[in-house]
Amino acid sequence: MGEEVQIKPTTKIENIVATVILDQQLDLNAIEHSIPNATYQPDQFPGLILRLDRPKTTALIFKSGKMVVTGAKSTQMLIQAVKKIIQLLRRHGIVITGRPKIQVQNIVASGDIHAQVNLERAAYLLEDSMYEPEQFPGLIHRMRDPRVVLLIFSSGKMVITGAKEEHEVRDAVVKIAEKLKKLGCLRPRI
């Protein structure tokens, strides 16, 4: 059934969420007063919000010296954003002593295998999958290696979450495309 289907997996990173640890306490009031695009409203949220235009990212900065950085579309862009935040803090008189420790928590990406997917058949044949079309139009597949979750739609488009490294996204999409093809769950897109 699925042998003649050509698969051309493509992926695109949509967002990288990372934690950054500065081993020091930060005065969020001082940061808010000295950096124009910083917002700190402790009665609403305990962290300071700092939005960067280039690269387009957002940092949630906490008193403990921990930060959550979101919006990067690559690891390179994430590192660039963290460097820019540190430079911005230093430029505005905030002393940063150590090197930031960056840890990627989650990579969210989109993927496309450029073929239609028979989700009923895939749900039946694929281990670690859940498909309840009355509740959600996509099949949820928990892949073990790489350890990611794929939301697969009948169009062949998908959302990948849980990756910690960029290559895991591509590996997961290529692997699921080959598996779906082998199981006869694919047909050419019309």
Side-chain angles (χ1 to χ4, degrees):
M1 178 187 165
E3 267 325 294
E4 73 288 343
V5 178
Q6 294 298 310
I7 51 175
K8 299 184 251 359
T10 56
T11 58
K12 180 183 175 214
I13 292 176
E14 304 292 344
N15 185 20
I16 296 179
V17 179
T19 50
V20 179
I21 299 168
L22 301 174
D23 274 332
Q24 66 183 80
Q25 295 286 308
L26 296 172
D27 182 344
L28 300 183
N29 287 311
I31 295 170
E32 185 197 27
H33 291 303
S34 57
I35 299 176
N37 50 344
T39 309
Y40 181 49
Q41 297 171 319
D43 49 319
Q44 288 175 23
F45 181 72
L48 176 135
I49 301 166
L50 180 62
R51 289 182 174 84
L52 297 181
D53 287 333
R54 286 174 200 223
K56 192 159 177 57
T57 51
T58 299
L60 305 176
I61 303 173
F62 300 92
K63 280 183 205 161
S64 63
K66 288 188 175 147
M67 293 190 265
V68 176
V69 180
T70 63
K73 307 260 190 234
S74 69
T75 311
Q76 207 173 348
M77 186 178 172
L78 169 67
I79 293 165
Q80 194 183 355
V82 172
K83 283 180 179 174
K84 190 166 181 181
I85 292 162
I86 302 298
Q87 288 169 352
L88 197 59
L89 292 171
R90 285 184 172 141
R91 199 175 320 127
H92 287 89
I94 313 300
V95 178
I96 303 297
T97 51
R99 285 178 59 99
K101 291 179 196 72
I102 304 170
Q103 188 175 12
V104 172
Q105 298 299 326
N106 185 20
I107 296 176
V108 179
S110 56
D112 193 347
I113 55 178
H114 301 277
Q116 293 283 124
V117 181
N118 179 333
L119 295 178
E120 285 84 11
R121 183 174 170 87
Y124 182 71
L125 297 171
L126 248 168
E127 282 182 30
D128 301 315
S129 292
M130 194 172 80
Y131 180 52
E132 294 180 31
E134 311 80 39
Q135 254 128 69
F136 183 70
L139 178 142
I140 301 165
H141 176 64
R142 293 182 188 285
M143 191 175 274
R144 293 175 191 192
D145 182 32
R147 198 172 183 87
V148 298
V149 174
L150 298 111
L151 307 177
I152 305 167
F153 299 93
S154 60
S155 64
K157 293 185 187 289
M158 55 188 75
V159 175
I160 304 93
T161 65
K164 303 275 192 212
E165 295 177 41
E166 288 181 53
H167 73 87
E168 292 175 338
V169 170
R170 177 111 183 112
D171 294 352
V173 174
V174 167
K175 191 173 178 179
I176 198 67
E178 288 168 356
K179 194 164 202 171
L180 290 169
K181 183 175 180 174
K182 194 170 137 188
L183 294 172
C185 299
L186 301 180
R187 59 187 178 273
R189 257 195 205 153
I190 299 155

mmCIF file of all heavy atoms in Angstrom, residues 122-160:
data_model
loop_
_atom_site.group_PDB
_atom_site.id
_atom_site.type_symbol
_atom_site.label_atom_id
_atom_site.label_comp_id
_atom_site.label_asym_id
_atom_site.label_seq_id
_atom_site.Cartn_x
_atom_site.Cartn_y
_atom_site.Cartn_z
ATOM 1 N N ALA A 122 -2.258 3.873 11.677
ATOM 2 C CA ALA A 122 -1.044 4.187 12.443
ATOM 3 C C ALA A 122 -1.278 3.967 13.936
ATOM 4 O O ALA A 122 -0.435 3.376 14.615
ATOM 5 C CB ALA A 122 -0.608 5.624 12.172
ATOM 6 N N ALA A 123 -2.429 4.378 14.444
ATOM 7 C CA ALA A 123 -2.734 4.217 15.873
ATOM 8 C C ALA A 123 -2.785 2.735 16.243
ATOM 9 O O ALA A 123 -2.356 2.338 17.326
ATOM 10 C CB ALA A 123 -4.049 4.896 16.206
ATOM 11 N N TYR A 124 -3.288 1.928 15.322
ATOM 12 C CA TYR A 124 -3.423 0.492 15.559
ATOM 13 C C TYR A 124 -2.056 -0.209 15.533
ATOM 14 O O TYR A 124 -1.788 -1.100 16.329
ATOM 15 C CB TYR A 124 -4.355 -0.117 14.496
ATOM 16 C CG TYR A 124 -4.612 -1.580 14.675
ATOM 17 C CD1 TYR A 124 -5.405 -2.046 15.731
ATOM 18 C CD2 TYR A 124 -4.050 -2.511 13.803
ATOM 19 C CE1 TYR A 124 -5.641 -3.403 15.906
ATOM 20 C CE2 TYR A 124 -4.273 -3.879 13.969
ATOM 21 C CZ TYR A 124 -5.065 -4.316 15.028
ATOM 22 O OH TYR A 124 -5.284 -5.658 15.200
ATOM 23 N N LEU A 125 -1.183 0.219 14.624
ATOM 24 C CA LEU A 125 0.097 -0.471 14.417
ATOM 25 C C LEU A 125 1.290 0.122 15.178
ATOM 26 O O LEU A 125 2.277 -0.568 15.402
ATOM 27 C CB LEU A 125 0.434 -0.504 12.920
ATOM 28 C CG LEU A 125 -0.549 -1.290 12.041
ATOM 29 C CD1 LEU A 125 -0.231 -1.068 10.568
ATOM 30 C CD2 LEU A 125 -0.525 -2.775 12.387
ATOM 31 N N LEU A 126 1.201 1.380 15.513
ATOM 32 C CA LEU A 126 2.331 2.052 16.165
ATOM 33 C C LEU A 126 2.250 1.929 17.685
ATOM 34 O O LEU A 126 1.245 2.328 18.281
ATOM 35 C CB LEU A 126 2.279 3.545 15.809
ATOM 36 C CG LEU A 126 3.338 4.130 14.924
ATOM 37 C CD1 LEU A 126 2.917 5.501 14.480
ATOM 38 C CD2 LEU A 126 4.676 4.177 15.528
ATOM 39 N N GLU A 127 3.309 1.427 18.292
ATOM 40 C CA GLU A 127 3.356 1.376 19.761
ATOM 41 C C GLU A 127 3.445 2.790 20.321
ATOM 42 O O GLU A 127 3.911 3.701 19.653
ATOM 43 C CB GLU A 127 4.605 0.609 20.216
ATOM 44 C CG GLU A 127 4.481 -0.877 20.117
ATOM 45 C CD GLU A 127 5.740 -1.559 20.626
ATOM 46 O OE1 GLU A 127 6.417 -1.018 21.519
ATOM 47 O OE2 GLU A 127 6.054 -2.644 20.096
ATOM 48 N N ASP A 128 3.053 2.938 21.574
ATOM 49 C CA ASP A 128 3.154 4.217 22.289
ATOM 50 C C ASP A 128 2.423 5.354 21.559
ATOM 51 O O ASP A 128 2.925 6.478 21.493
ATOM 52 C CB ASP A 128 4.623 4.608 22.524
ATOM 53 C CG ASP A 128 5.362 3.557 23.339
ATOM 54 O OD1 ASP A 128 4.795 3.089 24.343
ATOM 55 O OD2 ASP A 128 6.490 3.203 22.964
ATOM 56 N N SER A 129 1.244 5.025 21.008
ATOM 57 C CA SER A 129 0.465 6.040 20.305
ATOM 58 C C SER A 129 -0.940 6.117 20.875
ATOM 59 O O SER A 129 -1.463 5.136 21.400
ATOM 60 C CB SER A 129 0.377 5.701 18.818
ATOM 61 O OG SER A 129 1.644 5.833 18.234
ATOM 62 N N MET A 130 -1.524 7.291 20.734
ATOM 63 C CA MET A 130 -2.885 7.508 21.192
ATOM 64 C C MET A 130 -3.600 8.332 20.126
ATOM 65 O O MET A 130 -3.066 9.340 19.660
ATOM 66 C CB MET A 130 -2.848 8.274 22.511
ATOM 67 C CG MET A 130 -4.160 8.279 23.246
ATOM 68 S SD MET A 130 -3.961 8.994 24.892
ATOM 69 C CE MET A 130 -3.994 10.728 24.499
ATOM 70 N N TYR A 131 -4.771 7.890 19.753
ATOM 71 C CA TYR A 131 -5.539 8.618 18.747
ATOM 72 C C TYR A 131 -7.007 8.592 19.131
ATOM 73 O O TYR A 131 -7.634 7.530 19.146
ATOM 74 C CB TYR A 131 -5.321 7.998 17.362
ATOM 75 C CG TYR A 131 -6.073 8.693 16.252
ATOM 76 C CD1 TYR A 131 -5.985 10.074 16.071
ATOM 77 C CD2 TYR A 131 -6.865 7.970 15.370
ATOM 78 C CE1 TYR A 131 -6.668 10.713 15.041
ATOM 79 C CE2 TYR A 131 -7.547 8.596 14.331
ATOM 80 C CZ TYR A 131 -7.447 9.965 14.176
ATOM 81 O OH TYR A 131 -8.125 10.590 13.152
ATOM 82 N N GLU A 132 -7.523 9.750 19.505
ATOM 83 C CA GLU A 132 -8.932 9.904 19.840
ATOM 84 C C GLU A 132 -9.466 11.093 19.062
ATOM 85 O O GLU A 132 -9.492 12.221 19.568
ATOM 86 C CB GLU A 132 -9.095 10.094 21.346
ATOM 87 C CG GLU A 132 -8.689 8.854 22.137
ATOM 88 C CD GLU A 132 -8.835 9.017 23.629
ATOM 89 O OE1 GLU A 132 -9.728 9.766 24.074
ATOM 90 O OE2 GLU A 132 -8.041 8.388 24.357
ATOM 91 N N PRO A 133 -9.884 10.841 17.798
ATOM 92 C CA PRO A 133 -10.288 11.939 16.912
ATOM 93 C C PRO A 133 -11.444 12.804 17.432
ATOM 94 O O PRO A 133 -11.550 13.964 17.055
ATOM 95 C CB PRO A 133 -10.662 11.241 15.605
ATOM 96 C CG PRO A 133 -10.781 9.797 15.924
ATOM 97 C CD PRO A 133 -10.001 9.540 17.168
ATOM 98 N N GLU A 134 -12.264 12.261 18.335
ATOM 99 C CA GLU A 134 -13.356 13.074 18.906
ATOM 100 C C GLU A 134 -12.787 14.159 19.819
ATOM 101 O O GLU A 134 -13.406 15.193 20.015
ATOM 102 C CB GLU A 134 -14.336 12.216 19.729
ATOM 103 C CG GLU A 134 -14.836 10.963 19.075
ATOM 104 C CD GLU A 134 -13.828 9.797 19.138
ATOM 105 O OE1 GLU A 134 -13.146 9.596 20.164
ATOM 106 O OE2 GLU A 134 -13.717 9.100 18.112
ATOM 107 N N GLN A 135 -11.614 13.885 20.392
ATOM 108 C CA GLN A 135 -11.003 14.829 21.310
ATOM 109 C C GLN A 135 -9.938 15.718 20.673
ATOM 110 O O GLN A 135 -9.822 16.882 21.015
ATOM 111 C CB GLN A 135 -10.385 14.064 22.480
ATOM 112 C CG GLN A 135 -11.211 14.224 23.716
ATOM 113 C CD GLN A 135 -11.561 12.902 24.333
ATOM 114 O OE1 GLN A 135 -10.677 12.246 24.845
ATOM 115 N NE2 GLN A 135 -12.831 12.540 24.293
ATOM 116 N N PHE A 136 -9.164 15.131 19.770
ATOM 117 C CA PHE A 136 -8.045 15.855 19.155
ATOM 118 C C PHE A 136 -7.787 15.243 17.779
ATOM 119 O O PHE A 136 -7.717 14.022 17.663
ATOM 120 C CB PHE A 136 -6.795 15.736 20.054
ATOM 121 C CG PHE A 136 -5.608 16.501 19.568
ATOM 122 C CD1 PHE A 136 -5.594 17.890 19.602
ATOM 123 C CD2 PHE A 136 -4.496 15.829 19.058
ATOM 124 C CE1 PHE A 136 -4.484 18.596 19.140
ATOM 125 C CE2 PHE A 136 -3.386 16.534 18.601
ATOM 126 C CZ PHE A 136 -3.388 17.925 18.643
ATOM 127 N N PRO A 137 -7.619 16.083 16.751
ATOM 128 C CA PRO A 137 -7.507 15.546 15.386
ATOM 129 C C PRO A 137 -6.180 14.870 15.035
ATOM 130 O O PRO A 137 -6.057 14.298 13.959
ATOM 131 C CB PRO A 137 -7.708 16.787 14.511
ATOM 132 C CG PRO A 137 -7.247 17.919 15.372
ATOM 133 C CD PRO A 137 -7.622 17.535 16.774
ATOM 134 N N GLY A 138 -5.227 14.895 15.941
ATOM 135 C CA GLY A 138 -3.925 14.299 15.639
ATOM 136 C C GLY A 138 -3.644 13.068 16.473
ATOM 137 O O GLY A 138 -4.220 12.865 17.539
ATOM 138 N N LEU A 139 -2.731 12.255 15.964
ATOM 139 C CA LEU A 139 -2.251 11.087 16.695
ATOM 140 C C LEU A 139 -1.083 11.543 17.570
ATOM 141 O O LEU A 139 -0.217 12.295 17.111
ATOM 142 C CB LEU A 139 -1.789 10.022 15.693
ATOM 143 C CG LEU A 139 -1.209 8.734 16.279
ATOM 144 C CD1 LEU A 139 -1.667 7.555 15.444
ATOM 145 C CD2 LEU A 139 0.309 8.781 16.309
ATOM 146 N N ILE A 140 -1.083 11.116 18.816
ATOM 147 C CA ILE A 140 0.001 11.477 19.737
ATOM 148 C C ILE A 140 0.917 10.261 19.843
ATOM 149 O O ILE A 140 0.475 9.177 20.222
ATOM 150 C CB ILE A 140 -0.551 11.868 21.120
ATOM 151 C CG1 ILE A 140 -1.509 13.066 20.982
ATOM 152 C CG2 ILE A 140 0.594 12.180 22.091
ATOM 153 C CD1 ILE A 140 -2.383 13.310 22.194
ATOM 154 N N HIS A 141 2.165 10.434 19.470
ATOM 155 C CA HIS A 141 3.127 9.328 19.510
ATOM 156 C C HIS A 141 4.305 9.713 20.402
ATOM 157 O O HIS A 141 4.949 10.739 20.191
ATOM 158 C CB HIS A 141 3.630 9.001 18.092
ATOM 159 C CG HIS A 141 4.692 7.947 18.066
ATOM 160 N ND1 HIS A 141 4.463 6.644 18.480
ATOM 161 C CD2 HIS A 141 5.998 7.993 17.711
ATOM 162 C CE1 HIS A 141 5.591 5.945 18.369
ATOM 163 N NE2 HIS A 141 6.527 6.737 17.912
ATOM 164 N N ARG A 142 4.539 8.870 21.402
ATOM 165 C CA ARG A 142 5.687 9.080 22.298
ATOM 166 C C ARG A 142 6.839 8.224 21.801
ATOM 167 O O ARG A 142 6.816 7.012 21.928
ATOM 168 C CB ARG A 142 5.324 8.690 23.732
ATOM 169 C CG ARG A 142 4.285 9.602 24.320
ATOM 170 C CD ARG A 142 3.947 9.264 25.760
ATOM 171 N NE ARG A 142 2.819 10.055 26.204
ATOM 172 C CZ ARG A 142 2.875 11.353 26.518
ATOM 173 N NH1 ARG A 142 4.025 11.994 26.430
ATOM 174 N NH2 ARG A 142 1.799 11.998 26.892
ATOM 175 N N MET A 143 7.833 8.894 21.217
ATOM 176 C CA MET A 143 8.990 8.182 20.685
ATOM 177 C C MET A 143 10.016 8.015 21.805
ATOM 178 O O MET A 143 10.214 8.924 22.605
ATOM 179 C CB MET A 143 9.579 8.988 19.516
ATOM 180 C CG MET A 143 10.612 8.243 18.720
ATOM 181 S SD MET A 143 11.149 9.186 17.265
ATOM 182 C CE MET A 143 9.906 8.701 16.085
ATOM 183 N N ARG A 144 10.655 6.861 21.830
ATOM 184 C CA ARG A 144 11.630 6.590 22.898
ATOM 185 C C ARG A 144 13.040 7.029 22.541
ATOM 186 O O ARG A 144 13.824 7.367 23.415
ATOM 187 C CB ARG A 144 11.606 5.111 23.242
ATOM 188 C CG ARG A 144 10.284 4.719 23.881
ATOM 189 C CD ARG A 144 10.180 3.256 24.128
ATOM 190 N NE ARG A 144 8.808 2.938 24.494
ATOM 191 C CZ ARG A 144 8.450 1.784 24.989
ATOM 192 N NH1 ARG A 144 9.336 0.832 25.170
ATOM 193 N NH2 ARG A 144 7.187 1.564 25.291
ATOM 194 N N ASP A 145 13.376 6.968 21.248
ATOM 195 C CA ASP A 145 14.725 7.367 20.825
ATOM 196 C C ASP A 145 14.660 8.050 19.467
ATOM 197 O O ASP A 145 14.410 7.368 18.474
ATOM 198 C CB ASP A 145 15.636 6.133 20.772
ATOM 199 C CG ASP A 145 17.070 6.509 20.390
ATOM 200 O OD1 ASP A 145 17.503 7.624 20.756
ATOM 201 O OD2 ASP A 145 17.748 5.694 19.725
ATOM 202 N N PRO A 146 14.835 9.349 19.385
ATOM 203 C CA PRO A 146 15.023 10.287 20.492
ATOM 204 C C PRO A 146 13.748 10.413 21.325
ATOM 205 O O PRO A 146 12.650 10.145 20.842
ATOM 206 C CB PRO A 146 15.359 11.599 19.788
ATOM 207 C CG PRO A 146 14.749 11.487 18.439
ATOM 208 C CD PRO A 146 14.767 10.031 18.085
ATOM 209 N N ARG A 147 13.906 10.841 22.557
ATOM 210 C CA ARG A 147 12.788 10.946 23.496
ATOM 211 C C ARG A 147 12.014 12.242 23.212
ATOM 212 O O ARG A 147 12.335 13.307 23.756
ATOM 213 C CB ARG A 147 13.346 10.938 24.918
ATOM 214 C CG ARG A 147 12.321 10.607 25.953
ATOM 215 C CD ARG A 147 13.004 10.438 27.319
ATOM 216 N NE ARG A 147 12.032 10.059 28.304
ATOM 217 C CZ ARG A 147 11.673 8.797 28.545
ATOM 218 N NH1 ARG A 147 12.225 7.824 27.856
ATOM 219 N NH2 ARG A 147 10.768 8.535 29.466
ATOM 220 N N VAL A 148 11.022 12.124 22.342
ATOM 221 C CA VAL A 148 10.199 13.273 21.966
ATOM 222 C C VAL A 148 8.740 12.828 21.850
ATOM 223 O O VAL A 148 8.449 11.633 21.811
ATOM 224 C CB VAL A 148 10.630 13.900 20.609
ATOM 225 C CG1 VAL A 148 12.051 14.429 20.671
ATOM 226 C CG2 VAL A 148 10.469 12.916 19.471
ATOM 227 N N VAL A 149 7.849 13.804 21.788
ATOM 228 C CA VAL A 149 6.441 13.526 21.526
ATOM 229 C C VAL A 149 6.111 14.157 20.186
ATOM 230 O O VAL A 149 6.462 15.312 19.920
ATOM 231 C CB VAL A 149 5.539 14.101 22.646
ATOM 232 C CG1 VAL A 149 4.056 13.936 22.284
ATOM 233 C CG2 VAL A 149 5.839 13.430 23.987
ATOM 234 N N LEU A 150 5.450 13.365 19.328
ATOM 235 C CA LEU A 150 5.042 13.870 18.016
ATOM 236 C C LEU A 150 3.519 13.923 17.957
ATOM 237 O O LEU A 150 2.851 12.958 18.336
ATOM 238 C CB LEU A 150 5.544 12.937 16.906
ATOM 239 C CG LEU A 150 7.056 12.811 16.805
ATOM 240 C CD1 LEU A 150 7.486 11.426 17.222
ATOM 241 C CD2 LEU A 150 7.524 13.089 15.407
ATOM 242 N N LEU A 151 2.996 15.039 17.510
ATOM 243 C CA LEU A 151 1.568 15.166 17.221
ATOM 244 C C LEU A 151 1.492 15.057 15.708
ATOM 245 O O LEU A 151 1.979 15.942 15.002
ATOM 246 C CB LEU A 151 1.027 16.513 17.695
ATOM 247 C CG LEU A 151 1.303 16.891 19.154
ATOM 248 C CD1 LEU A 151 0.769 18.281 19.446
ATOM 249 C CD2 LEU A 151 0.703 15.873 20.094
ATOM 250 N N ILE A 152 0.935 13.973 15.211
ATOM 251 C CA ILE A 152 0.930 13.700 13.778
ATOM 252 C C ILE A 152 -0.485 13.901 13.233
ATOM 253 O O ILE A 152 -1.447 13.342 13.780
ATOM 254 C CB ILE A 152 1.402 12.254 13.496
ATOM 255 C CG1 ILE A 152 2.777 12.027 14.139
ATOM 256 C CG2 ILE A 152 1.431 11.979 11.995
ATOM 257 C CD1 ILE A 152 3.212 10.568 14.191
ATOM 258 N N PHE A 153 -0.605 14.670 12.171
ATOM 259 C CA PHE A 153 -1.905 14.936 11.563
ATOM 260 C C PHE A 153 -2.023 14.188 10.241
ATOM 261 O O PHE A 153 -1.019 13.823 9.629
ATOM 262 C CB PHE A 153 -2.089 16.450 11.384
ATOM 263 C CG PHE A 153 -2.047 17.177 12.703
ATOM 264 C CD1 PHE A 153 -0.854 17.707 13.188
ATOM 265 C CD2 PHE A 153 -3.186 17.288 13.486
ATOM 266 C CE1 PHE A 153 -0.797 18.336 14.429
ATOM 267 C CE2 PHE A 153 -3.140 17.914 14.730
ATOM 268 C CZ PHE A 153 -1.955 18.446 15.195
ATOM 269 N N SER A 154 -3.255 13.984 9.783
ATOM 270 C CA SER A 154 -3.494 13.208 8.561
ATOM 271 C C SER A 154 -2.844 13.841 7.330
ATOM 272 O O SER A 154 -2.524 13.157 6.373
ATOM 273 C CB SER A 154 -4.991 13.008 8.337
ATOM 274 O OG SER A 154 -5.633 14.263 8.207
ATOM 275 N N SER A 155 -2.591 15.130 7.383
ATOM 276 C CA SER A 155 -1.945 15.843 6.267
ATOM 277 C C SER A 155 -0.464 15.504 6.129
ATOM 278 O O SER A 155 0.172 15.872 5.146
ATOM 279 C CB SER A 155 -2.068 17.353 6.487
ATOM 280 O OG SER A 155 -1.357 17.715 7.669
ATOM 281 N N GLY A 156 0.084 14.839 7.152
ATOM 282 C CA GLY A 156 1.518 14.556 7.160
ATOM 283 C C GLY A 156 2.304 15.613 7.911
ATOM 284 O O GLY A 156 3.504 15.488 8.121
ATOM 285 N N LYS A 157 1.601 16.667 8.338
ATOM 286 C CA LYS A 157 2.265 17.711 9.136
ATOM 287 C C LYS A 157 2.284 17.257 10.580
ATOM 288 O O LYS A 157 1.441 16.466 11.006
ATOM 289 C CB LYS A 157 1.529 19.036 8.981
ATOM 290 C CG LYS A 157 1.637 19.590 7.565
ATOM 291 C CD LYS A 157 1.001 20.958 7.466
ATOM 292 C CE LYS A 157 0.944 21.463 6.050
ATOM 293 N NZ LYS A 157 2.213 21.828 5.476
ATOM 294 N N MET A 158 3.254 17.752 11.331
ATOM 295 C CA MET A 158 3.358 17.341 12.726
ATOM 296 C C MET A 158 4.011 18.419 13.581
ATOM 297 O O MET A 158 4.643 19.340 13.075
ATOM 298 C CB MET A 158 4.115 16.027 12.846
ATOM 299 C CG MET A 158 5.486 15.998 12.223
ATOM 300 S SD MET A 158 6.220 14.349 12.211
ATOM 301 C CE MET A 158 5.301 13.566 10.921
ATOM 302 N N VAL A 159 3.821 18.259 14.890
ATOM 303 C CA VAL A 159 4.461 19.117 15.885
ATOM 304 C C VAL A 159 5.318 18.192 16.729
ATOM 305 O O VAL A 159 4.870 17.114 17.133
ATOM 306 C CB VAL A 159 3.421 19.854 16.760
ATOM 307 C CG1 VAL A 159 4.104 20.649 17.862
ATOM 308 C CG2 VAL A 159 2.550 20.767 15.910
ATOM 309 N N ILE A 160 6.557 18.600 16.983
ATOM 310 C CA ILE A 160 7.490 17.795 17.751
ATOM 311 C C ILE A 160 7.841 18.583 19.011
ATOM 312 O O ILE A 160 8.220 19.756 18.916
ATOM 313 C CB ILE A 160 8.785 17.493 16.951
ATOM 314 C CG1 ILE A 160 8.455 16.816 15.607
ATOM 315 C CG2 ILE A 160 9.738 16.613 17.748
ATOM 316 C CD1 ILE A 160 8.307 17.747 14.457
#
